[in-house]
Amino acid sequence: MNISFLQELFSSITRREALLRHRRKGRHHFVHTDLLKACRTLLNSDGEASSIALASRALDIYAGLDPTEKQRFFECLTAEFSADPAAVDEAYAAYRESRDNRDLQVLFDTCEPSRQELLRRLNLTSDGTHELVHMREDLLGLLRETPELRALDADFAHLFGSWFNRGFLVLKRMDWNTPAAILEKLIRYEAVHEIHDWKDLRRRLDDRDRRCFAFFHPALGDEPLIFVEVALHKGLPDQIQAILDPETYDIEDPEAADTAAFFGISNCQTGLRGISFGNFLIKQVVQELKQELPDLKHFVTLSPVPGFRAWLEATYLTADDDNAGSLDAESRTLLESLDDPEWLQDQARSEQLRDLIRPLAARYLLEEKNAKGLPLNPVARFHLGNGAELHRLNWLGDISQKGMQQSAGLMVNYLYVLDDIERNHEQYITSGKIAHSSAVRDLNRRARKLLKGEPAR
């Protein structure tokens, strides 16, 4: 039987069940004890058909809970559906005595919280995966104020890591012939550079110099997991406004391009936070583009630097004089001028800021680390972890209001050199070494001089 027909059939069944569940939502107001009772009944069920019905019933009850009752449900799930400590002790004692693989397996099974089996059973319904993704989205919103729920979140992450592994993901190219329902979601989920309207979207899907690819999962139907926007370019791009301008056409013939620039990567499902898709996506898209356009020589990003300006201000402006990063008073005064909206029209001041900010950005990206010893910047962590090289810092790469607020207008090119990706990845993972160009290295050296008191210009 035709595989695409089966996929369409599965998708239609999923949509029909989701519609029925949606119609049932709101008819009843439940409390968390109703759901706990349904979950215990589901765990005690033996038959597959009855388990599917019970799972559907439990998900319907969850949909009828208000936020407070959802939190109470998560708290009970964490406390009451964990592993039995006495059983774990007994299983461990047996394995310690025998060192037998069968006893080891019993120990593994005993250590697993019963809530993991519950989540598996809730996933029996055809729309269960989608519902569980939304359930975890609710959970993630509570973790900051209720950290004891992190054990439950770890169970979600563990199961999602298996359910959404690379073998289940389907790469699709998005173009103007893609169903409108999916295109609408691209507009809604775009997280880097807002898509303003359908004209803007059509420009980003233009066959002449644009490409867009997305990962899908069979259990989520037409819901994209992540998508990447690509601009075909001559040379490495250094400014996002030219790429986003709907009237700008860099090249008429895609085969004339020598560079594929990844300028937007957006995760679509909040409930799948922490499940890695981007590394697979970029590597597969590189292969797709290389096959379509064999003359492409460079694969590079044009990436934002979220958090950079906040770091600048916290390190050099809001700190007291004794803890202001050793930056001299003249340079600190220059940084304060970022708050003046007129500085962009002042060429001399713009050049002074460029000579100050680019070195500090190199220091920020190469040397500032989080509590885990990884780069402080999340975009840097993503691309460096994928094996890219920190290649170039672009002054005034993004002069939009958002770009100025989050990164003082700076943008970064991360370069993916096919022959170096694996080596860069291994060195980053094993020793924290960041692959970077000589130009970035020179900027970091300049930052060290600045912090010793040498004037910015």
Side-chain angles (χ1 to χ4, degrees), residues 1 34 41 47 89 96 102 109 137 188 193 249 258 293 358 371 384 394 396-397 457:
M1 186 179 291
D34 297 323
T41 303
D89 289 342
R96 184 177 56 187
R102 288 173 296 182
D109 294 341
E137 182 175 349
R188 184 166 74 249
H193 304 292
Y249 293 93
D258 63 3
L293 301 166
R358 289 177 73 238
L384 296 171
N394 301 300
L396 300 185
R457 59 182 182 273

Side-chain angles (χ1 to χ4, degrees), residues 230-335:
V230 185
L232 302 178
H233 209 268
K234 288 183 178 179
L236 273 60
D238 60 3
Q239 216 265 353
I240 192 63
Q241 271 68 44
I243 289 177
L244 298 180
D245 183 354
E247 304 302 328
T248 299
Y249 293 93
D250 294 319
I251 53 176
E252 292 293 334
D253 179 8
E255 295 185 359
D258 63 3
T259 300
F262 303 90
F263 67 91
I265 302 175
S266 298
N267 285 293
C268 305
Q269 308 299 322
T270 303
L272 293 176
R273 184 188 303 165
I275 310 302
S276 179
F277 304 120
N279 54 348
F280 299 122
L281 179 65
I282 287 180
K283 291 172 184 176
Q284 188 162 345
V285 168
V286 166
Q287 296 302 323
E288 293 281 335
L289 292 171
K290 192 68 176 174
Q291 184 173 0
E292 179 194 357
L293 301 166
D295 290 334
L296 288 176
K297 296 182 177 64
H298 309 296
F299 299 91
V300 67
T301 76
L302 186 58
S303 299
V305 197
F308 171 58
R309 184 167 174 183
W311 173 82
L312 270 180
E313 294 178 353
T315 305
Y316 301 114
L317 296 182
T318 60
D320 58 47
D321 290 340
D322 293 332
N323 297 288
S326 302
L327 199 62
D328 63 70
E330 179 182 355
S331 296
R332 292 172 65 185
T333 300
L334 186 58
L335 284 181

Side-chain angles (χ1 to χ4, degrees), residues 149-262:
L149 297 179
R150 293 191 182 279
L152 175 58
D153 182 57
D155 293 323
F156 272 101
H158 171 71
L159 294 173
F160 285 174
S162 298
W163 299 348
F164 289 90
N165 74 49
R166 177 62 189 89
F168 294 117
L169 305 184
V170 179
L171 182 71
K172 292 183 180 180
R173 178 176 169 185
M174 303 291 99
D175 56 32
W176 200 240
N177 295 317
T178 299
I182 297 178
L183 295 182
E184 287 178 344
K185 290 169 183 173
L186 297 186
I187 295 175
R188 184 166 74 249
Y189 290 136
E190 166 60 63
V192 184
H193 304 292
E194 180 184 0
I195 300 174
H196 299 284
D197 51 33
W198 286 95
K199 179 181 179 181
D200 189 5
L201 176 63
R202 184 164 192 168
R203 173 67 190 100
R204 300 195 194 195
L205 301 177
D206 197 306
D207 283 346
R208 281 173 287 188
D209 63 347
R210 301 298 154 92
R211 299 292 185 269
C212 181
F213 296 88
F215 266 148
F216 292 83
H217 188 283
L220 266 62
D222 61 2
E223 281 285 340
L225 305 180
I226 186 173
F227 66 93
V228 60
E229 299 168 85
V230 185
L232 302 178
H233 209 268
K234 288 183 178 179
L236 273 60
D238 60 3
Q239 216 265 353
I240 192 63
Q241 271 68 44
I243 289 177
L244 298 180
D245 183 354
E247 304 302 328
T248 299
Y249 293 93
D250 294 319
I251 53 176
E252 292 293 334
D253 179 8
E255 295 185 359
D258 63 3
T259 300
F262 303 90

Side-chain angles (χ1 to χ4, degrees), residues 337 339-346 349:
S337 69
D339 291 329
D340 178 3
E342 302 299 323
W343 72 264
L344 271 174
Q345 282 69 50
D346 185 337
R349 186 161 33 153

